[in-house]
Amino acid sequence: MEDELEDRIFYQTYISHMKLLSKFAVGLPLNTSYFSYIWRLIRFYIIKPEVVLLTLFLVVLFMYIQAVEVWSRSLVNKLRLSVTSSIPTKSQKLQYFKVSGDFDKLSWELKEGNIAVYAVQGRRPKMEDRFVVNENINGTGVHLYAVFDGHGGEFAANYARDNLINNLNSKIIELKQLISKGIDKNTVNKPAPPSPAIGKKSPASPASLEKKPSFKKIVKEEGVRKQSGVITDPYLLEKLESLPRAITREVKPNRTNSAPIPPPDITSYIDTNSTINFGKLVTDEVLAADRLLVEAAKKTMDVAGTTVLIALVEGSKLIVANVGDSRGVMCDFKGRAIPLSFDHKPQQSREKKRIEEAGGSVSFNGVWRVAGILATSRAMGDYPLKDKKLVIADPDILTFDLSDHKPQFLILASDGLWDTFSNEEAVSFIKSRLHEPHFGAKSITLQSYYRGSLDNITVLVINLTNHTWV
């Protein structure tokens, strides 16, 4: 009996609440003059066929623009290109996107014979990748391919492309000419004569024999300097520079008093069997270009840097030089992925030990970074870190005999690709798309972008399926 009474009470309470809610929800009459007026306005101005069609068209157009990322600036630039630009020649195509003074571009491509390159700016505000394709350098039979992944600006990548590559080309041509003329083996690897500045005390220069200024004059000059608030005394500057300090993004030009390093004898790059020692040549040229790059960057206080990935092919011999985290991969005749280079990352035990011995540190800031700044432990440029020897430009050199591997293709790419693809995935992807116009380079670049790569992406593919290996 009590249970039935409780059920009735609960039911009556529920009905009462529902009646109150219903009365509150439908309490406002919809047939009032106010709602009728609003409905007439909507029906007269909005719910008209032309208005509905125009709205649907604008929505579809906006969705299309969002999907393909075509904005008005890109459209204007393309119209400008079609109106003002002439058809590029082959030599102009090989200028490796010198974009200084040009309008912004979102993608770059090159197709020459069995070489294809595709690059996209991606989600970065600027394109800092550069690439080089130099087939059969001046008829020497040496082919050069390179990828530079700049960071902190375009200065370092442009410098490496313009200076390092030109120096390598010149040295290769000169060495080939010497070999073709025939060189006395006694002159090969002959040590360069010692510099007179080394091991011999030079006579005092007239400037050093000048009379030193008096103490009174020094005190007077120091008073003027103190008023300006700038420390210019050489002794104090040397003391300040010798003090240890944390690496920050602060940039100040340093005074360099080191004498220029003389270039090595050109014949030191020729082995006894009259072949070029490409490993030694590339190493010396990269380090020499890096020294000049750092000096030039200090003058303009430009902190930019770049990775370096260079592949030299002569006959069946492949030499790969790597500085940083751009990467090369080879697909051999069995379809296996063979690494052509290995990334230089701060968290690697060898790199971390070197950085800590130089007084630096490796910390995690999204990714592992040198001093919390740079995500690669080797690069050209980056002079604030280079001065402390936390970042070096020494390349790793790997040599391959292509007649043993009989490769189907080679891939050289910036780390924008390798952020979303493993070596095996990239080889498998390209292998199934070698029939495409760009040998899969365009497809894998766009696929990397769609997978969420946040960096510039540059992919260079060398198709060797039709090559006959001896």
Side-chain angles (χ1 to χ4, degrees), residues 71-136:
W71 297 102
S72 58
R73 184 180 65 177
S74 301
L75 180 60
V76 171
N77 288 336
K78 290 179 180 179
L79 291 174
R80 177 183 171 187
L81 175 63
S82 62
V83 172
T84 61
S85 174
S86 59
I87 299 175
T89 62
K90 181 177 178 179
S91 60
Q92 290 173 335
K93 287 181 181 178
L94 295 177
Q95 291 304 308
Y96 334 120
F97 43 91
K98 292 184 177 180
V99 295
S100 56
D102 293 342
F103 49 85
D104 294 335
K105 298 171 69 178
L106 298 179
S107 65
W108 293 259
E109 60 183 87
L110 174 68
K111 176 68 168 24
E112 291 289 337
N114 66 326
I115 311 298
V117 189
Y118 199 82
V120 295
Q121 180 174 318
R123 295 175 174 85
R124 286 295 179 91
K126 289 185 178 181
M127 181 59 169
E128 297 172 343
D129 284 4
R130 298 294 183 267
F131 67 84
V132 175
V133 175
N134 199 341
E135 292 268 84
N136 194 14

Side-chain angles (χ1 to χ4, degrees), residues 211-240:
K211 185 178 179 181
K212 294 184 178 180
S214 63
F215 176 76
K216 188 180 294 185
K217 186 175 180 181
I218 293 176
V219 171
K220 185 178 180 181
E221 291 179 354
E222 288 299 324
V224 176
R225 290 169 185 166
K226 287 179 181 178
Q227 291 176 1
S228 65
V230 179
I231 300 175
T232 57
D233 181 64
Y235 178 76
L236 290 177
L237 286 174
E238 290 179 2
K239 287 293 185 182
L240 289 174

Side-chain angles (χ1 to χ4, degrees), residues 224-273:
V224 176
R225 290 169 185 166
K226 287 179 181 178
Q227 291 176 1
S228 65
V230 179
I231 300 175
T232 57
D233 181 64
Y235 178 76
L236 290 177
L237 286 174
E238 290 179 2
K239 287 293 185 182
L240 289 174
E241 290 179 358
S242 64
L243 293 175
R245 58 181 180 182
I247 299 298
T248 66
R249 292 185 181 273
E250 180 186 6
V251 180
K252 292 183 180 180
N254 292 346
R255 299 179 301 158
T256 55
N257 299 322
S258 58
I261 300 175
D265 184 11
I266 188 66
T267 58
S268 65
Y269 301 120
I270 303 177
D271 291 333
T272 54
N273 56 354

Side-chain angles (χ1 to χ4, degrees), residues 2 5 32 50 92 108 208 240 259-260 272 299 405 429 459:
E2 293 179 357
L5 181 61
T32 60
E50 55 268 26
Q92 290 173 335
W108 293 259
S208 62
L240 289 174
T272 54
K299 294 177 182 178
H405 297 281
F429 191 96
V459 179

Side-chain angles (χ1 to χ4, degrees), residues 324-383:
D325 54 7
S326 294
R327 193 187 309 167
V329 181
M330 171 172 57
C331 175
D332 67 1
F333 69 100
K334 292 184 178 180
R336 297 173 300 188
I338 309 297
L340 299 179
S341 65
F342 296 92
D343 301 350
H344 294 131
K345 294 294 187 180
Q347 68 270 23
Q348 295 170 351
S349 58
R350 179 184 65 169
E351 298 295 302
K352 184 177 181 181
K353 180 181 178 182
R354 176 185 59 78
I355 293 167
E356 291 176 347
E357 288 177 351
S361 62
V362 176
S363 59
F364 189 82
N365 183 14
V367 295
W368 291 101
R369 298 178 183 272
V370 180
I373 300 173
L374 190 61
T376 180
S377 57
R378 299 194 190 190
M380 289 182 62
D382 295 296
Y383 83 84

